[in-house]
Amino acid sequence: MNFDMKRRILLKGALASGTLGIALGAGLLTPKAAMAAWPKAAFETKDIDGSISTLMGVSGSEESDKIKIKAPDIAENGAVVPVTVSTDMAGVETIAILAEKNPLPLIASFDLGEGVLGTAGTRMKMGTSGDVIAVVKAGGKVYTARKNVKVTIGGCGG
Amino acid sequence: MEKKPIKVKAKFKNDVVTVKALMGHPMETGNRKDKKTGKKIPARFIQEVVCKSGGKTLMTANWSGGVSKDPYLMFKYKGGKKGDMLELSWVDNTGKSAKTEVKVA
């Protein structure tokens, strides 16, 4: 009995370190080229303002009614919430999408090249009801807009 | 290379090219647990999507695991025309990548 208990603890430990090893391995194996461009610090923080300022390289933002967020008022399935952010501002450099209540709020950022219009669309996961935050960097300044989306079934975790 | 292809449609209308793309990818956040074993499913998601045309980068998207499975991407640009070649590629956090080319229609 005693021996069996110990064996169990040992097994548990081995399993836990095993998953950790995989997680670490995944991080280490990532090619440098991809890592250099991917703004890890902005993606791996819970702090929304911090994430935005890290990503955009500008601290502070203003709310703007020139940003339109197209997303459903009620999302039946939180695993797939279509979002389109559009703005007619001039000189849009970056568009980013965040979900306020997600464990890691920053979902996506889009760096726009020359001639690209201020529109970006994708589908995102939302853990629970909350605001979708759209961030637009134009002419060196950062603007934000929000839209509340109610989620019936969460899309984070299982 | 991934088994599921990237589907891209690029349409030219009123001076604007609209690009819509669907990529086959599991987009695992790393927070989900396998219901049978209770172990966490390791993170696997597309980190970077690059779209180029005529040697110029039109758009670079940086993503987290918060983008839905089999991700969709849409953007629009000016200065393109019918017959232009458009290249779209992605790299995920495990270093896997895929690439496709499509003609603007």
Side-chain angles (χ1 to χ4, degrees):
Chain A
M1 184 67 192
N2 200 3
F3 174 74
D4 209 29
M5 282 297 284
K6 270 186 185 160
R7 198 175 134 250
R8 262 167 203 280
I9 291 162
L10 230 148
L11 253 167
K12 255 192 189 167
L15 274 176
S17 59
T19 38
L20 192 76
I22 290 164
L24 276 172
L28 286 170
L29 283 170
T30 315
K32 275 208 172 128
M35 290 309 287
W38 198 65
K40 195 171 192 281
F43 274 109
E44 291 181 356
T45 176
K46 287 187 164 96
D47 172 27
I48 291 170
D49 291 334
S51 177
I52 296 171
S53 55
T54 310
L55 181 72
M56 302 295 185
V58 179
S59 61
S61 61
E62 264 176 60
E63 284 202 21
S64 168
D65 54 6
K66 282 186 178 169
I67 305 169
K68 286 195 183 78
I69 306 173
K70 201 174 131 195
D73 294 326
I74 297 169
E76 273 182 34
N77 183 359
V80 186
V81 183
V83 194
T84 303
V85 175
S86 58
T87 178
D88 49 14
M89 283 184 214
V92 177
E93 297 158 46
T94 308
I95 294 178
I97 300 169
L98 293 93
E100 185 195 20
K101 298 276 176 67
N102 275 18
L104 299 173
L106 182 59
I107 305 277
S109 84
F110 304 87
D111 295 327
L112 311 181
E114 219 184 301
V116 181
L117 305 181
T119 303
T122 187
R123 294 191 296 221
M124 61 188 243
K125 296 173 195 165
M126 284 182 79
T128 175
S129 302
D131 281 354
V132 171
I133 306 169
V135 186
V136 173
K137 186 183 180 187
K141 276 193 166 180
V142 179
Y143 303 93
T144 60
R146 283 164 177 265
K147 180 183 182 354
N148 190 268
V149 174
K150 281 199 167 62
V151 177
T152 327
I153 310 164
C156 283
Chain B
M1 289 297 239
E2 283 292 306
K3 276 177 196 165
K4 283 193 201 169
I6 312 175
K7 281 186 203 163
V8 190
K9 270 186 186 170
K11 260 197 172 164
F12 180 83
K13 199 183 171 187
N14 300 333
D15 273 358
V16 175
V17 180
T18 303
V19 182
K20 288 178 183 177
L22 264 177
M23 292 150 253
H25 200 281
M27 298 301 280
E28 287 293 350
T29 57
N31 293 325
R32 230 157 57 90
K33 277 182 184 160
D34 189 316
K35 274 179 188 142
K36 279 179 196 155
T37 63
K39 274 213 269 182
K40 276 195 173 181
I41 301 169
R44 188 153 116 68
F45 57 87
I46 295 177
Q47 280 189 319
E48 193 185 62
V49 185
V50 180
C51 194
K52 291 178 186 173
S53 182
K56 273 201 288 183
T57 303
L58 292 169
M59 194 217 51
T60 309
N62 289 303
W63 286 353
S64 73
V67 174
S68 301
K69 185 185 167 189
D70 295 339
Y72 166 77
L73 168 73
M74 188 275 285
F75 72 98
K76 296 172 178 184
Y77 69 96
K78 270 187 174 173
K81 59 181 186 302
K82 274 189 190 183
D84 278 0
M85 288 309 285
L86 200 74
E87 183 194 299
L88 194 132
S89 61
W90 60 253
V91 181
D92 74 10
N93 66 323
T94 65
K96 284 210 173 71
S97 66
K99 191 164 136 181
T100 193
E101 271 192 307
V102 70
K103 238 184 209 174
V104 177

